[in-house]
Amino acid sequence: MTATMKGSVRLTTAQALVRFLSRQFTERDGARQRLIGATWGIFGHGNVAGIGQALVEHADEMPFHQGRNEQAMVHAAVGYARQSGRLSAHAVTTSIGPGATNLVTGAALATVNRLPVLLLPGDTFAARPADPVLQQLEVPYAGDVSVNDCLRPVSRYFDRVTRPEALIPAALAALRVLTDPVETGAVTLALPQDVQAEAYDWPEEFFAERTWAVRRPAPDPRELADAVRAVREARRPLIVAGGGVHHSAAEEALRGFADATGVPVASTQAGKGSLRFDHPADVGGVGHTGTATANELARTADLVIGVGTRYSDFTTASGTLFERPGVRFLNLNIAPFDGHKLAGATLIADARAGLEALTGALRGHRVEPAYVVEYTDDKERWEHRVDAAYETDEPDVRPTQAQVLGLLDALVTDDDVVINAAGSLPGDLHKLWRARSARQYHVEYGYSCMGYEIPASIGVALAAPGRPVWALVGDGTYLMNPTELVTAVQENVPIKVVVLQNHGYASIGGLSESVGGERFGTDYRYRAPDGTYTGDVLPVDLAANAASLGMQVLRAKTIRDLREALRAARGADRPTCVYVETETADTVSGPPPAQAWWDVPVAETAARVSAVKAREEYDRHVTARRRHL
């Protein structure tokens, strides 16, 4: 750093960016925190001499985490942002070329889930002294396009900083989006490698501490009056709590509304934990992976109150769940885009502000006692089904996947965080898991990205040090992205990784069978010369792999072993992996089946019997779909 003319500081563009980011804060409800808590990086020729040098230069101002896979670094940043309530985020820097394109999946996941992450990919030379450079994709029809343009459709904001002075408006615009509760998601600043290293006289004001206020917009009085009228007129209202409840820290407001009105609360994957599982009004997950209690209430509801949900197809059972004639929707959402879905009446507001306003305006209003008795009794019956799936009265046998969850359920407290994203586990968790606190249930099901769990668990552990963090990983997911285990070992982040080995893509295999695909391409088995698969599984040892990456590994063969291994892992002060081979639900009691449909189109014409029968079943379900207009 060199002082130059009065009121300016001479730094490279990369140095200026790192210093600027280190001095940004968010504030909500009087609590102030750093906006960019750390930077993740993998270095190459597109960022090592720019951002890399700047991070060394300003190591006292910007913490750094060394990643092993660019996509995984974004997942870790997303886990951190979600655990931080979107009030703090991480930046991710990569080289040009494959380093940059590896960001695309993570960026899509962040944007789909409305979670902030700042991406800083290196880019080709702005001055084009040598054209092409190593790893440059030449585009014959456009000289200003690079592979970073792949990030445009998956970013909420994108800019390419081709001059040092252009960083000032670009950086401010990027942080505006990162801190906007409606617009947030992946934000990309593409940084040409020569511009990163170029010096400029920066105004000192650029580096002043800046606090970004995270808004809590209140509802419009007219919309609020209409919403109150709709709730008062409803005989069978149902709340569908989405991720916006957590993003707004509206859990107490939701509990206050449920306590005051008696309206039952179902939850999406992102909204699970909005109420504790033992709250009288909590009826569990809703939709294709939901509970029988919540889905029956959804089928008979005359008013569906969506709070912070985007109504994905899993939530609506592909448009077949809310089947009562004349059902209406009231959507409390901070984003007008989501508020207008399903032709709903809108209450555009922050979830907490909106719920508090509704509760106050509805003072004295409660649903009929008979409705409360109905869903209370149904909830009790469902809990018996959960108990049956969790039952472990034969300790010396191999556990089912549901029994693994049951053993973990018996061990955890309000402090633990359980992370998952893909496979059959999200369905079992949504139906069975008993969420004890607002941040305990962390299932990424907006993008349902295999390979998310391990890096996300690191991000969560960094955001919530001291809390036990569990990454629940199937064998297929583990094989996708185990590399960040090395980062956990390097930084001694004591995550607990539970690897469930069933020797195949069990979830997609089951789906394949149900739609006439006959489990094709979903087994981990030897393939004979004639193309058929033998009954022998491949000699893959994922536990040995985890150990080779530095993890402490605990192998469990039986329910008794697993109970002890989970207990030991929870108490471990180093990264620990629990490895267990699971039994299929065909032989012992498993989780209840899907309680609602999901639309996966089946071949309209086929010669194989399995596909013909699957199409007949598909046609039966699809006739129940409706458009809410």
Side-chain angles (χ1 to χ4, degrees), residues 137-344:
L137 173 68
E138 294 182 89
V139 180
Y141 61 83
D144 63 346
V145 171
S146 79
V147 295
N148 284 331
D149 289 274
C150 294
L151 288 160
R152 288 182 183 270
V154 293
S155 298
R156 296 297 288 173
Y157 179 81
F158 179 98
D159 202 352
R160 179 175 283 111
V161 182
T162 56
R163 289 292 308 142
E165 57 268 36
L167 176 66
I168 295 175
L172 291 170
L175 268 65
R176 171 189 62 80
V177 175
L178 286 173
T179 57
D180 188 317
V182 177
E183 296 297 325
T184 196
V187 169
T188 300
L189 294 180
L191 303 172
Q193 58 179 310
D194 52 344
V195 177
Q196 289 181 47
E198 188 173 345
Y200 182 73
D201 295 328
W202 303 90
E204 288 183 346
E205 293 85 355
F206 185 52
F207 305 114
E209 286 192 0
R210 188 182 304 266
T211 300
W212 300 79
V214 179
R215 299 185 297 278
R216 283 196 183 280
D220 174 81
R222 179 173 176 176
E223 287 193 339
L224 178 60
D226 290 344
V228 168
R229 188 178 309 111
V231 176
R232 288 189 180 277
E233 292 174 355
R235 303 274 73 84
R236 298 182 64 82
L238 172 69
I239 286 178
V240 174
V245 176
H246 293 310
H247 297 332
S248 174
E251 295 90 358
E252 288 299 316
L254 178 61
R255 185 174 69 177
F257 180 88
D259 288 342
T261 65
V263 176
V265 177
S267 56
T268 69
Q269 285 281 15
K272 192 173 173 74
S274 295
L275 288 184
R276 274 185 60 103
F277 79 96
D278 52 2
H279 187 282
D282 179 70
V283 294
V286 68
H288 178 63
T289 53
T291 69
T293 306
N295 284 346
E296 186 56 31
L297 290 171
R299 292 184 179 99
T300 59
D302 57 1
L303 178 68
V304 178
I305 307 170
V307 182
T309 178
R310 61 192 188 93
Y311 289 115
S312 75
D313 64 338
F314 258 59
T315 299
T316 68
S318 300
T320 64
L321 185 58
F322 306 109
E323 62 184 33
R324 184 184 178 115
V327 62
R328 294 175 297 160
F329 295 84
L330 169 62
N331 298 328
L332 167 53
N333 205 297
I334 198 169
F337 176 79
D338 292 314
H340 285 275
K341 289 178 177 175
L342 302 180

Side-chain angles (χ1 to χ4, degrees), residues 264-573:
V265 177
S267 56
T268 69
Q269 285 281 15
K272 192 173 173 74
S274 295
L275 288 184
R276 274 185 60 103
F277 79 96
D278 52 2
H279 187 282
D282 179 70
V283 294
V286 68
H288 178 63
T289 53
T291 69
T293 306
N295 284 346
E296 186 56 31
L297 290 171
R299 292 184 179 99
T300 59
D302 57 1
L303 178 68
V304 178
I305 307 170
V307 182
T309 178
R310 61 192 188 93
Y311 289 115
S312 75
D313 64 338
F314 258 59
T315 299
T316 68
S318 300
T320 64
L321 185 58
F322 306 109
E323 62 184 33
R324 184 184 178 115
V327 62
R328 294 175 297 160
F329 295 84
L330 169 62
N331 298 328
L332 167 53
N333 205 297
I334 198 169
F337 176 79
D338 292 314
H340 285 275
K341 289 178 177 175
L342 302 180
T346 57
L347 189 60
I348 305 303
D350 168 80
R352 192 173 87 178
L355 284 167
E356 288 174 346
L358 266 178
T359 305
L362 285 165
R363 186 169 287 112
H365 174 76
R366 283 189 64 82
V367 298
E368 293 295 329
Y371 187 44
V372 176
V373 171
E374 176 190 332
Y375 71 70
T376 300
D377 289 347
D378 282 350
K379 176 180 176 178
E380 184 177 357
R381 283 190 287 271
W382 180 261
E383 287 301 317
H384 289 317
R385 297 182 73 178
V386 175
D387 290 338
Y390 280 175
E391 181 58 53
T392 55
D393 56 358
E394 296 184 56
D396 296 317
V397 300
R398 181 184 292 178
T400 65
Q401 181 166 282
Q403 288 170 330
V404 174
L405 298 183
L407 291 171
L408 192 57
D409 174 84
L411 177 66
V412 301
T413 70
D414 293 17
D415 289 337
D416 295 67
V417 181
V418 175
I419 300 174
N420 186 242
S424 57
L425 274 165
D428 289 357
L429 284 161
H430 199 204
K431 288 195 288 277
L432 304 176
W433 188 257
R434 291 160 168 159
R436 292 161 170 78
S437 61
R439 298 286 174 196
Q440 182 180 82
Y441 187 87
H442 183 128
V443 173
E444 187 287 298
Y445 216 56
Y447 210 47
S448 186
C449 186
M450 295 176 73
Y452 173 81
E453 294 88 343
I454 292 172
S457 69
I458 297 174
V460 169
L462 293 173
R467 295 187 68 167
V469 180
W470 301 85
L472 305 184
V473 183
D475 49 302
T477 290
Y478 181 90
L479 287 168
M480 284 274 185
N481 197 10
T483 56
E484 286 343 271
L485 293 179
V486 178
T487 298
V489 171
Q490 181 180 36
E491 301 201 8
N492 196 30
V493 182
I495 59 173
K496 296 90 174 62
V497 179
V498 181
V499 178
L500 291 83
Q501 170 67 279
N502 56 25
H503 300 287
Y505 299 109
S507 173
I508 204 67
L511 178 62
S512 170
E513 186 172 44
S514 70
V515 298
E518 302 178 27
R519 294 185 177 264
F520 178 74
T522 63
D523 262 342
Y524 294 164
R525 300 180 186 276
Y526 286 102
R527 191 171 185 177
D530 63 359
T532 61
Y533 291 89
T534 71
D536 300 321
V537 298
L538 298 175
V540 176
D541 190 340
L542 301 184
N545 179 262
S548 76
L549 297 178
M551 296 286 286
Q552 172 180 245
V553 176
L554 307 173
R555 293 178 183 259
K557 293 184 177 181
T558 66
I559 288 173
R560 190 193 309 275
D561 295 341
L562 182 59
R563 183 180 287 112
E564 294 305 314
L566 292 173
R567 185 177 292 111
R570 189 174 188 275
D573 59 0

Side-chain angles (χ1 to χ4, degrees), residues 544-615:
N545 179 262
S548 76
L549 297 178
M551 296 286 286
Q552 172 180 245
V553 176
L554 307 173
R555 293 178 183 259
K557 293 184 177 181
T558 66
I559 288 173
R560 190 193 309 275
D561 295 341
L562 182 59
R563 183 180 287 112
E564 294 305 314
L566 292 173
R567 185 177 292 111
R570 189 174 188 275
D573 59 0
R574 56 175 288 194
T576 301
C577 173
V578 175
Y579 174 87
V580 58
E581 293 194 46
T582 56
E583 188 58 84
T584 66
D586 297 331
T587 56
V588 292
S589 177
Q595 303 297 304
W597 186 59
W598 181 45
D599 188 351
V600 178
V602 177
E604 192 168 1
T605 180
R608 300 181 72 86
V609 173
S610 61
V612 172
K613 288 184 176 179
R615 181 66 194 199

Side-chain angles (χ1 to χ4, degrees), residues 22-86:
S22 72
R23 298 180 181 186
Q24 307 301 305
F25 296 83
T26 61
E27 185 275 330
R28 188 176 70 181
D29 305 330
R32 185 172 182 260
Q33 49 274 309
R34 182 165 166 157
L35 173 53
I36 304 298
T39 296
W40 288 83
I42 295 175
F43 296 110
H45 71 92
N47 65 341
V48 65
I51 293 290
Q53 191 282 328
L55 288 167
V56 173
E57 190 92 7
H58 299 285
D60 58 333
E61 299 178 81
M62 178 61 71
F64 175 74
H65 301 297
Q66 182 180 347
R68 266 71 194 181
N69 174 282
E70 291 86 359
Q71 176 181 317
M73 292 195 297
V74 186
H75 293 336
V78 167
Y80 176 89
R82 176 167 167 171
Q83 187 67 27
S84 301
R86 304 198 302 182

